[in-house]
Amino acid sequence: MSNRKFRIALIKPSHYDDDGYVIQWRRSTIPSNSLASVYGLLVQCAEEGALGPETAIEIEAYDECNTVIDIAGVSSRILSDGSGMVALVGVQTNQFPRALDIARQFRERGITVAVGGFHVSGCIAMLPKLPSDLKEAQALGVILYAGEGEDRLAEFLRDVDSGEAKPVYNYLNDMPDMAAAAIPVLPREVVTRVAGHYTSFDAGRGCPFQCSFCTIINVQGRKSRYRTADDVEAIVRANAAQGVTRFFVTDTDDNFARNRNWEPILDRLIELREQGFRIRLLLQVDTLCHRIPHFIDKAARAGCNAVFIGLENINPESLMGAKKRQNKIWEYRDMLQAWKRAGVMTWAGYILGFPTDTPESIARDIETIKRELPIDILEFFFLTPLPGSEDHKVLHLKGARMEPDMNNYDLEHACADHPIMSAETWRGVYRDAWARYYTDAHVETVLRRAAASGVNPKKIVDAMTVFSGSSRIERVHPLQFGYVRRKIRTQRRHGLRIVNPLIFYPWRAYDFVAVAAKWAALALRYRKIYRRVVADKDAAYVDEALRASTEADRNADFVAAFADKIPDTYGAPKRETAAAAE
Ligand code: B12
Ligand code: SF4
C-alpha cells in the first residue's frame, strides 16, 4: 500500500493573442499529442512504481486551449500531498512566454516546475548558447528538459522527488526507439474537451529530409522511428475502452505514407473496424502517397476521412530554395484526385514568403490552385525562422534582425525581413490569401467538386466555414481554433495592464456579440451556397481540377507555367517538354 503521494500536473500552455489574452475556448478543435504522449509515459511510471512501492504517482492533465488553469487549486493539491511538480509539456516557441508566466505563478508558491517541448529542444539543439528566455526560465528555477521522454521519465521523477533535479536535461543525442514505447492516451474527461472527441497519437518520429524551415530534423533526428501495428492496436483499444475512437494521427515527419509500418498498421485498423470499432482517422501524408500501391484505398477503409498534405508551395524554385526537393508539383493533381475518388477530404498547408514570392506571384499561384487542383481546405502560414530550424540558426549566426517576441512565432506573424516585400506588404499578402481562397464563388466550386466526387459536401462546408472565418473573424489561425472563445480578464500577459472590470466586461460583451454576428453571417452565406449545390447536384460536374491528367491540357496548366523552374534533375515534365522542343 502506498502511503505517500507524488502529484504531477501536466499543463499544455496556449499562447497570447495580439491583445495579450490567452487563446482559449470552451471546446478546442485539435487534440494535443504532446499531452497524450507525456500522460501515457507517466501512467507507465505510475504503474511500474517508479518512485518506489510507498509512493503513488497521481497525474492531472490540462490543455490550456480548452481549460482555464486553476493555479491556486493545482498548487494547493500538490502542497497538501507534500510532493509533486508541474510539467509544462510540448511547449512550442510561440507558447514559451505563456509557459513562463504560468511557471512564474507556480514558482511563487514554491512548486517545482519543468518545461519541455520544441522550443527548449530546438534552441538547445541549434544555438551555441541558451537564448535569453531560457535563461529567464532558469533564473525562475524552472528545469529545462530537451529531447524525448520515452524510457527516461522515471529517472527524471526520482531526481525531482529526491530534490536533486538538474537544471537542464539534454537527451537530444539519444533518440528512443518507438517500437513498444508507452502508448499516448488521455483520460476521457480531457478528450471530451476537444470538439468531436478526437484524440491523437504519433505513428512515427524523425524525418530523413532537410527542409530548411523545419525544426523536426534537429529535434527528433533524421532517422525515422516508427510505432508498430501492435502498438497502434493497443492505442486504439485503450481509447475505445473509454469511448474514444477518433484519431488525429501525427507522424512527426508530416507523412504517414513514409511510415515503414503503414501497411500492417492500416490492415490492423481495417480488421478492428470490421470487428465493430468505429475508427475515424485524420492522416498527414505527402504529395507522392498516391504512388504507393493500395495506400489510399487502405487508408480510406481504415477510417481515414480527411488528409493533411504539406503542399507548402507550387513554385519549384521556392521548394528547392527551402530544400523541400521531395515535393513534385506535377504529381499534385493526380494525388489529390486519388483522395477525392476515395471520398476523403483534402486539406493542404501553403507557406507564404519564400524569397522570390511577391504579392503578384502569390495571388497568381492561389488562383492557379483554385482552378487546377482539387483541394478542399487550404490554409496559409508565414514562412517563419522557428528556433530549432536551419533558417533560424543561419539568421541568428548572421546577427540578422528577427522578431524578438517569441509569442509571435505562431506562423501568423512576419518574424524576419523578406528580401522583396516589406513587413506590411507581407501581412497584406497573408490577409489577401485567406480572402482570395475563401470567396463565395470558390466555396461553391469546392462543394460542386465534392458532390460530384462522392465526398460529403456538408463536412466540407463546415470545415470551410471554420477555415474561412478563423483568421479573419477571430484573428486566430485555424490550427488554434475552437468553439466559443474565452478571454479571462486576469489572465493577461505578464507586464500588461489588467483592465478595470467596468471597462473590461462591457468591451468583452460587445466583442463577443460582434464576433458571433460575423460568424452567423458567414455560416448563413455558406449554408445558402451548400443548399444550392445540393439542390442542383450534378454528378457529371467536371472542371480543370477534376479532369484526369491524361485529358488535361498539360501544355497550358500550372506545371507548364513553372517548367523553366523545375530543375533538370527533378523528374519528367520539363525534360519531356525540352526534349519535345529539340
Ligand atoms: C501534431 C502537431 C500539431 C498539432 C498538435 C500540437 C501538439 N504538440 O500536440 C496541432 C495541429 C494543434 C499543431 C498546431 C500548431 N503547431 Co504544430 N506540430 C505538430 C507536429 C507535427 C507533431 C507534434 C507532436 O505530437 N510531437 C510529438 C510529441 C510527443 O513531441 P514533443 O511535443 O516534443 O514531446 C516529447 C518531448 O519533448 C518530451 N516532453 C514534452 N514536454 C515535456 C515536458 C516535460 C516536463 C518533460 C520532462 C518532457 C517533455 O516528451 C514528449 C514525448 O517524448 C509537430 C512536429 C513534430 N515533429 O513534433 C509540429 C510543431 C510542434 N508545430 C509547430 C507549430 C509552429 C504549430 C503552430 C504554431 C502552427 C500554427 N500556425 O497554428 C500551431 C500551434 C497551436 C497550438 N496551440 O498548439 C512547430 C513548432 C516549432 C517551434 N519551435 O515552436 C512544429 C515543431 C512543426 C514545425 N513547423 O517545425 N501542431
Ligand atoms: S518539413 Fe516535413 S519533410 Fe521537411 S524536413 Fe520537416 S518533417 Fe521532413
Side-chain angles (χ1 to χ4, degrees), residues 32-34 37 90 92-93 95 118 147 149-150 215-216 220 252 410:
S32 169
N33 183 48
S34 308
S37 296
Q92 303 178 359
T93 299
Q95 296 152 353
F118 260 77
E150 281 71 11
T215 61
I216 290 155
Q220 296 178 332
T252 58
D410 52 5

Side-chain angles (χ1 to χ4, degrees), residues 48-185:
E48 289 172 357
L51 297 180
E54 300 288 294
T55 308
I57 298 176
E58 303 278 338
I59 316 160
E60 308 176 4
Y62 308 100
D63 181 345
E64 207 192 16
C65 297
N66 55 35
T67 308
V68 178
I69 310 296
D70 174 8
I71 294 192
V74 170
S75 306
S76 81
R77 282 193 292 280
I78 294 176
L79 293 172
S80 72
D81 284 344
S83 61
M85 67 178 298
V86 166
L88 299 169
V89 302
V91 180
Q92 303 178 359
T93 299
N94 67 90
Q95 296 152 353
F96 202 77
R98 174 64 189 156
L100 269 189
D101 287 354
I102 297 175
R104 191 174 287 113
Q105 298 175 63
F106 282 112
R107 293 298 297 138
E108 279 162 6
R109 293 167 165 86
I111 310 279
T112 304
V113 180
V115 59
F118 260 77
H119 186 60
V120 174
S121 297
C123 290
I124 292 182
M126 293 299 269
L127 300 179
K129 287 195 298 208
L130 284 188
S132 58
D133 55 351
L134 294 196
K135 285 195 188 140
E136 191 182 342
Q138 283 196 315
L140 288 170
V142 174
I143 303 162
L144 304 179
Y145 188 98
E148 295 176 32
E150 281 71 11
D151 298 333
R152 282 108 195 215
L153 288 194
E155 194 188 327
F156 171 71
L157 292 184
R158 282 193 285 273
D159 286 0
V160 173
D161 194 29
S162 60
E164 285 168 13
K166 294 178 240 166
V168 182
Y169 286 79
N170 180 353
Y171 292 107
L172 286 161
N173 290 325
D174 185 9
M175 305 289 169
D177 191 3
M178 291 296 287
I183 57 170
V185 64

Side-chain angles (χ1 to χ4, degrees), residues 279-326:
I279 300 166
R280 281 267 169 274
L281 302 174
L282 191 156
L283 295 176
Q284 295 180 290
V285 295
D286 73 352
T287 53
L288 293 174
C289 59
H290 61 299
R291 289 287 184 110
I292 305 172
H294 312 301
F295 179 76
I296 291 183
D297 163 51
K298 288 196 175 186
R301 284 172 50 214
C304 172
N305 61 353
V307 279
F308 177 80
I309 304 148
L311 207 66
E312 322 303 12
N313 205 281
I314 58 169
N315 182 339
E317 206 166 47
S318 304
L319 294 167
M320 288 299 285
K323 299 196 194 155
K324 189 124 195 166
R325 298 186 173 87
Q326 65 277 22

Side-chain angles (χ1 to χ4, degrees), residues 206-217 252-254 258 312 323-324 326:
C207 177
F209 293 113
Q210 294 186 67
C211 308
S212 63
F213 54 81
C214 177
T215 61
I216 290 155
I217 32 185
T252 58
D253 58 356
D254 301 334
R258 204 162 41 228
E312 322 303 12
K323 299 196 194 155
K324 189 124 195 166
Q326 65 277 22

